[in-house]
Structure formats: structure tokens, C-alpha cells
Amino acid sequence: MNPQDEPGHPHRIAVKASGLLAEFNRAGFLTAADVHVATRVGVLGKEVDEAVLLALALTVRSVRHGSVVLDLATAAETISPDDEDEGEEAPEPAQPLNWPEPGEWARRCAASALIGGPLRMTGSQLWLARYWEQEQTVAAELLLRAAERPDDLDENVLRAGLQRLFPETQYADQQLAAAVCALSRVSVLAGGPGTGKTTTVSRLLALVREQHPEYRIALAAPTGKAAARLHEAVRSSTADLPLEDQARLNEELTATTMHRLLGWRPDARSRFHHDKHNRLPFEVVIVDESSMVSLTLMARLLEALRPGTRLILIGDPDQLASVEAGAVLGDLVDRARLNHRTEDFAAVLQRVLPQSLTSNTQPDSPTARFRNGVSTLLATRRFAAGGDIAALAAAIRDGEADRAVDVLYSASDAVDFVELADDTRPGPEQLEPIRAEVRAGAAQVMAAAAAGDGVAALAGLEQHRLLCTHRRGPRGVQLWSDLAAGWIFEDHPVVPRSDGRYAGEPLLVTTNDYESGLYNGDTGVVVSTQDGSLTAVFGRGGDPIPVPLARLGAVRPLYAMTVHRSQGSQFDRVSVLLPAAASSLCTRETLYTAVTRARQHVRVVGSVEALRTAILRPAARATGLRQRLSG
Ligand SMILES: Nc1ncnc2c1ncn2[C@@H]1O[C@H](COP(=O)(O)OP(=O)(O)OP(=O)(O)O)[C@@H](O)[C@H]1O
């Protein structure tokens, strides 16, 4: 982040800006960087109309906020000042802003020489050309791949295999989803945590390998942590398969990050070794945690796949979307049309499935063929403790605030609600349960780290996680990290070395370091070594990676993390600090993602008002992909 982009930094005001750009900058709607980009592109494109430059700057701003499109018709109602972090007072406009009249604004933009160059426009919607092209690539590649079904599987063998691997009727939804993936060149397997997505996919892989032992399979995920989880989950899900199916999956199934799969290049951020000129050599590519995949990365992946490769995207479309722009997985799953199938696809499915299929028939079209490949698993198969976490997650997902409040107020071993009004500081009675969790986790980490037991130290780290929506402010990571560190040091008065490190220090990697194989979001612990020195270990499924402290890149102590960063990880117990109801980060996806990080227990800390607001406010990311895939 450039210094002038830092909220609150004096250079956030673009000193040279004038007219509408200056007005929107002063009011906190545009950063200096947004203004700078718009001014520069305006000069290069010889555009002087300030309404057009404002539209351009707001489009840049939208991308910064995760959207791909700016709709001029609704911009005045939907855009509010930046308030990325609580405690940053967004400047109040002294007087109402001069939003251009939408019709006239759109006409002026449409007449601009920038359209067709750095900007693209459809109706009243504007894109930066780069993202417009990426949406185009993703939609075109998906539709092209969905146009024809693969014909490499014998239907009778597949039918027998589906019955062998999904013998129980309670898993009929998984059997159907596996059949859909087997019979599609591109498919989406959506579902919440513990619905059996990984189990379904590993069985599907066994089915494909049964007929094609020579097929090369790639397992990938957007983060190292998620890749490690995928590897572990696929491995453990094969344990109860018939021996011959286990054998089909046993060798060389390792998971990797998407960046590594595509071949990271030191000279380019979003270009890879594998692209349309040098395609990936796999017959099957599985991507887990697809909700975290940005539009750019999805475009790069699709371009790099051979036309015949089977692509299976797994993920939970109800989670927060990628940090970077786009909401690809959410756009691919059209909830209103689940189980809508073309007649011929329903007939093929019926031939390989034992049970009779209920589908809504949809007329054949390129988009209908794509939807044929989308399945959703709904039943949760994992949560213990009566499924209260699952019930809470479902209520949040469905926008049922009353139901969620009921679950939180019910006597439950799995969910807890610590009420804390938005504008008050927590008192001892609110802090105590969180403090107890933090202390219990730290006790295990400290003891294991002192004994040099990296595996146990990492397990201790996963025992409880404090999750915040904001980085700063009264509910932010900074403040709660300080609190947690204070509690830990009361119990364990450590004397850090001169470099600040101590045995038991929890670490969070904050940038990708391809050389050492550590990725942004990876977590680890400093542990003692036999010679009395210190080293770091990082979690990778069952295999901790030791990294000498001298080789560590950018890390920071990990006492709390943002919900965004926690995506792709799960913890035994989670405490979630809700943002204030007024925060723009108080959204359904944030809460859902936070709650579903917990395996055994989740504690929600905040006001009922914030809880209700979050549940009733789905995060609105504006994209054009959904529209390109509908119809
Ligand atoms: N068909 C099945 N037969 C037996 N056990 C199953 C089946 N499907 C799911 N399970 C069990 O349910 C649990 C969750 O399954 P799985 O890990 O596949 O879900 P998931 O959707 O991939 O979860 P996550 O989103 O957390 O990765 C696992 O313990 C798994 O063993």
C-alpha cells in the first residue's frame, strides 16, 4: 500500500486535484491514488470531461473494494465513503455531493474516447478494460468447456462405480454430484463446511481413475494452508474406500497452491509460466476453496487449461469473496436454478444413477449447459454438539436473523453469545470467557514450544482463534492482539531475545514467499531447538515445515486475525468480534465465514443489532460475470 493510501494519512488528500475529483476526494469517496490514476489516464486519453474522469476514478475505487463494475445509474445510492477501519472517521461531506445526473453522466461517458480503450461500457455500467476482458475470458472459457460433454467414461462402469462408492441412500446427493462432475468438462461443487465436498471429489477421482489409471490429476487451492487441508482431507477420505479404489488414489496425489500450479514468475504478478501458449498437462484439475479465487486468477487458470481437461471447482459460495476483485464462485452458482437441467443431460444422468432423478427441465442453450455442471450439497455431515454451529451458519446464510438469535441464546455447548453494545468497552464479564480461551490455547503452545515439539505447538495454535473484521479500532485485530498478548504474558512472563523472538511466539506470514514456500496467511510457532536456540515451524497438514528464523520473510505475531485471512482454515474453537452495526464490513458473508471456521465451538461477541444487521446485509459486489452466464 502506498503511504498516501493509508487511511488517515495526510497525503490521502490529492493536493493537485480539482473539480469533481477534488470534491469526491475530500469527502472520502476517492483516495489520492484513485484520483491520480483517473487524472493520468485522462491526460493520456485526452479526456477533460470531469464527469467522465469521476466515473473512471469511481470505477478504480470499485475495484479496490472488490467490485468489477460501476453502475452509473445507482452509484449515488450505493457508494459511500471509505471506512475500511473503525475508528477512522470518514470525512463528512460539508454539503451534498454533486453527483452527475445518471442519464446525462452515462451519455457523456459513452461519448468518451476512453471507451474501447481503458474503459468499457454496457448500458450504464462501466468496467476497467482489464477486468472486462477477464470476465469475458472466464465466461467464454466456461461456456466453451460446457458446450460438450466428455465421452471418455463407459456409462455402465460408471454406474457400477457410483453404486460401489456411494452405497448408502443418505449420500444420494453426493452420488448425484459425483455423477454430474464425471459427466461434465467443467463443474462446480458447492456446499457449506462438512457437507462432504472433499469426500465426493475423492470418490469421483477414484471413479475416473478406475477407467483411466493414466490420467494426471492436479489438486490446487488459492492458499498454502487450504492446499494442505485439501491434501489431508483427500488422504483421510480415501481410508474407508474399498482397497482397489484406495490404490487408485494412493500415489502422487499432492495438493499445491494455484500460483505454484500455474508456475509463479518472479518478473510478473499476474502472469504465469503456464498460459494459453503453454498449457497445464493435466486431465483433471480440482480447485478447492474456490470462493477465494479472484477474477484475475480464474481467468489465468482457465486460459492455461487444455480444452479437454476436466475442471472441478469446489467451494462455499456463501463465504466472503476473494480479497482481490470479483466474486467468481458466487457468480457461477445460480441459486434460483439449482437442479435445473437440460433434457439430454438429465437423461444421461439417469442412465448412471440408481435413484430416479428430479430435475426442472431447462431449454438447451450455452448457459444452460454450464448450469448442468453445478451441484450443491446441503446436508452437513460433520458438526458435533447437535449441529448448533451448522444451525447458526444456516440461519445466517438464509438471512434469518431471528433464527440465528434464537440459536445463540439457546443453551448450547457449541455456540455462545457475549453481548457487547457497539459503543461500549468490554468489561471483565465479557472479557473473561475470551481470556480463558486464549490462555488455554497459549498454555499448550508454550509448553510444546519449550519442549521443542513443533507438532503439538501447532496443534495448540489451532485450538482457539480470535477473529476480527477490522484491523484497527475497538473491535480490530490490533487492539485485541494487544489484549491477548497481555493475557498470555501474565501467565508466561517471557524474556524475548534481542530480535524480539521467544519460544511459543505465534507467527503469521504476511506476504507470499515463493522461495521458502511460505504463503500469506500461513501460521507457525517459534519453538526451542535441542541446542538451546530457536527455530520456527509452520503447519502443512501433518507435516510441519521448519524454517530457520534468519530465513523468515515478513511475519508478525499472531494473537488475532481478520476473518478474511482465516478463510481456508478451521479451528476447534473460535471467538468472533462483531464490528459495529454501522460498519460497512458488518455483512452476512463476514459473519458466515467467521462462524464456519469453528469445528467445535463458536463464541460471537457483539451487539444484537450488529448481529441482525450483518445477517440482513449481504455484501454487494458488483460484477458482470453472473449476467454473462445467465440467460
Ligand atoms: N459419503 C460419506 N460417507 C462417509 N462419511 C462421509 C461421507 N461424506 C462425508 N462424510 C464425513 O463427513 C465429514 C465431512 O466431509 P468432508 O470433509 O468431505 O466435507 P467438506 O464439505 O469437504 O468439508 P470442508 O468444507 O470443511 O472441507 C467427514 O468427516 C467425512 O468423513
Side-chain angles (χ1 to χ4, degrees):
M1 187 189 268
N2 294 324
Q4 70 266 31
D5 289 347
E6 284 277 354
H9 192 281
H11 293 129
R12 213 172 164 218
I13 297 295
V15 274
K16 288 193 195 146
S18 60
L20 284 174
L21 287 178
E23 183 182 329
F24 278 70
N25 174 227
R26 276 196 304 273
F29 285 69
L30 295 174
T31 62
D34 302 333
V35 172
H36 178 73
V37 172
T39 312
R40 180 115 197 91
V41 172
V43 169
L44 292 174
K46 300 191 173 44
E47 178 56 77
V48 291
D49 184 338
E50 60 173 342
V52 176
L53 296 181
L54 174 66
L56 170 56
L58 288 171
T59 310
V60 173
R61 173 203 184 275
S62 298
V63 169
R64 201 162 41 72
H65 284 254
S67 287
V68 175
V69 184
L70 173 76
D71 192 341
L72 299 174
T74 55
E77 290 92 62
T78 52
I79 299 184
S80 48
D82 282 350
D83 68 339
E84 271 182 16
D85 284 293
E86 263 178 319
E88 312 281 351
E89 285 297 315
E92 279 298 318
Q95 54 212 40
L97 285 168
N98 286 307
W99 287 98
E101 188 281 316
E104 172 62 13
W105 199 9
R107 270 189 296 282
R108 284 162 73 172
C109 287
S112 169
L114 298 182
I115 303 296
L119 277 178
R120 300 297 158 89
M121 192 169 186
T122 305
S124 59
Q125 295 186 316
L126 278 180
W127 283 256
L128 296 181
R130 176 170 159 217
Y131 292 97
W132 193 89
E133 279 154 18
Q134 288 173 2
E135 278 196 350
Q136 176 97 320
T137 300
V138 170
E141 289 281 345
L142 290 174
L143 295 179
L144 186 71
R145 284 158 202 280
E148 298 207 12
R149 278 196 307 275
D151 59 0
D152 55 350
L153 296 182
D154 178 294
E155 287 179 9
N156 291 324
V157 179
L158 178 61
R159 183 183 163 91
L162 284 164
Q163 292 193 44
R164 179 178 76 249
L165 292 174
F166 299 93
E168 297 162 69
T169 50
Q170 59 166 315
Y171 297 118
D173 56 341
Q174 297 178 355
Q175 187 184 52
L176 168 60
V180 167
C181 296
L183 297 167
S184 307
R185 204 147 263 164
V186 53
S187 50
V188 179
L189 180 54
T195 47
K197 301 181 294 299
T198 323
T199 308
T200 303
V201 165
S202 20
R203 288 168 198 216
L204 162 77
L205 293 178
L207 291 172
V208 172
R209 275 265 171 90
E210 178 183 10
Q211 300 199 36
H212 293 282
E214 76 286 7
Y215 271 12
R216 289 156 300 180
I217 295 169
L219 301 177
T223 67
K225 193 113 193 177
R229 271 193 74 213
L230 172 64
H231 183 218
E232 195 61 26
V234 169
R235 236 173 33 138
S236 62
S237 71
T238 55
D240 51 354
L241 295 187
L243 284 180
E244 76 268 22
D245 290 306
Q246 283 190 34
R248 289 179 180 123
L249 295 176
N250 270 350
E251 3 83 61
E252 111 295 333
L253 270 190
T254 52
T256 179
T257 63
M258 288 178 73
H259 280 80
R260 200 163 266 247
L261 179 76
L262 287 168
W264 165 75
R265 280 177 22 185
D267 57 322
R269 252 194 79 218
S270 60
R271 290 275 157 201
F272 297 95
H273 181 63
H274 287 287
D275 57 16
K276 60 181 156 205
H277 306 295
N278 176 24
R279 296 217 154 112
L280 285 162
F282 297 102
E283 279 75 29
V284 183
V285 171
I286 312 275
V287 177
D288 198 10
E289 299 288 355
S290 303
S291 60
M292 298 165 76
V293 180
S294 67
L295 176 64
T296 306
L297 194 54
M298 188 61 83
R300 298 286 174 264
L301 173 71
L302 286 165
E303 279 173 345
L305 293 182
R306 294 173 177 185
T309 300
R310 255 192 197 78
L311 172 66
I312 300 160
L313 300 171
I314 315 176
D316 184 352
D318 295 305
Q319 282 192 32
L320 281 168
S322 52
V323 174
E324 287 169 350
V328 179
L329 186 67
D331 287 343
L332 302 192
V333 180
D334 183 347
R335 256 170 262 260
R337 287 195 270 194
L338 292 178
N339 291 327
H340 283 230
R341 298 190 179 92
T342 56
E343 226 165 284
D344 71 319
F345 191 66
V348 187
L349 277 177
Q350 192 60 85
R351 289 204 293 272
V352 300
L353 288 168
Q355 78 274 19
S356 60
L357 188 68
T358 44
S359 330
N360 292 313
T361 310
Q362 55 179 349
D364 195 6
S365 71
T367 54
R369 287 181 187 207
F370 171 73
R371 279 194 297 272
N372 276 337
V374 179
S375 326
T376 301
L377 299 178
L378 293 170
T380 306
R381 266 93 192 200
R382 183 188 294 131
F383 287 112
D388 287 335
I389 299 176
L392 177 61
I396 297 167
R397 182 195 64 205
D398 299 342
E400 301 263 359
D402 287 343
R403 193 146 56 88
V405 171
D406 285 349
V407 177
L408 279 174
Y409 278 137
S410 67
S412 163
D413 291 339
V415 298
D416 242 339
F417 189 28
V418 176
E419 278 196 69
L420 178 60
D422 282 350
D423 50 0
T424 51
R425 286 178 175 278
E429 112 213 34
Q430 279 111 358
L431 289 176
E432 192 41 46
I434 308 169
R435 189 169 110 123
E437 296 273 20
V438 169
R439 291 174 66 187
Q444 183 176 336
V445 173
M446 287 295 196
D453 184 345
V455 175
L458 289 168
L461 199 59
E462 309 280 280
Q463 199 177 300
H464 172 256
R465 186 60 46 88
L466 195 49
L467 297 180
C468 304
T469 319
H470 289 269
R471 289 190 297 273
R472 284 180 279 265
R475 304 291 163 80
V477 169
Q478 252 172 31
L479 187 130
W480 286 83
S481 292
D482 289 349
L483 275 173
W487 295 328
I488 295 170
F489 295 144
E490 273 171 25
D491 289 355
H492 309 273
V494 294
V495 183
R497 299 191 323 185
S498 57
D499 60 359
R501 302 271 172 247
Y502 61 89
E505 182 183 7
L507 298 175
L508 174 70
V509 177
T510 55
T511 52
N512 289 332
D513 181 352
Y514 298 96
E515 311 277 323
S516 69
L518 289 182
Y519 297 96
N520 194 345
D522 278 348
T523 54
V525 184
V526 178
V527 298
S528 297
T529 57
Q530 279 187 339
D531 60 5
S533 172
L534 297 177
T535 190
V537 287
F538 288 85
R540 270 285 190 286
D543 274 341
I545 309 180
V547 181
L549 293 181
R551 286 211 14 238
L552 278 185
V555 291
R556 69 167 175 74
L558 164 68
Y559 299 107
M561 65 166 37
T562 59
V563 179
H564 243 301
R565 252 189 218 281
S566 71
Q567 261 186 299
S569 302
Q570 278 199 309
F571 314 98
D572 292 343
R573 304 173 70 85
V574 166
S575 299
V576 189
L577 272 302
L578 288 180
S583 158
S584 64
L585 300 186
C586 187
T587 65
R588 182 184 300 170
E589 287 77 3
T590 312
L591 183 59
Y592 175 86
T593 304
V595 164
T596 52
R597 296 312 86 212
R599 280 189 287 253
Q600 293 168 10
H601 184 270
V602 62
R603 170 178 298 101
V604 178
V605 185
S607 70
V608 179
E609 190 199 353
L611 183 75
R612 286 184 179 280
T613 304
I615 293 171
L616 297 175
R617 191 200 280 156
R621 276 200 173 187
T623 72
L625 185 59
R626 177 178 289 265
Q627 207 171 353
R628 289 179 205 254
L629 292 172
S630 67

